[in-house]
Amino acid sequence: MRTPDLTHAHWTKSSHSGANGGDCLELALAISGFAPIRDSKHTDGGPVIPFTRPAWAAFVSALVRS
């Protein structure tokens, strides 16, 4: 699997995370073919999980069904 270029990624987190947002995931938008996520506490060089868009959609769908 190729690694997405996240140099100019725009990261966003849920509006439900509140002001502190300490236990949240951030999702990078507009990354072709990918839905990268990261821990909102480690935004400066922490690990990134580069989900493919179909894998992310399946993950979210499974959460909604449970």
Side-chain angles (χ1 to χ4, degrees), residues 27 33-35 51-65:
L27 174 68
F34 289 92
F51 280 99
T52 63
R53 287 188 181 256
W56 181 251
F59 175 73
V60 172
S61 178
L63 289 176
V64 171
R65 287 189 304 245

Side-chain angles (χ1 to χ4, degrees), residues 9-28:
H10 174 74
W11 295 92
T12 188
K13 61 184 169 185
S14 171
S15 59
H16 297 282
S17 64
N20 294 333
D23 296 322
C24 299
L25 291 178
E26 294 182 325
L27 174 68

Side-chain angles (χ1 to χ4, degrees), residues 33-45:
F34 289 92
I37 62 168
R38 69 181 181 184
D39 185 335
S40 64
K41 293 184 297 293
H42 302 287
T43 60
D44 55 350

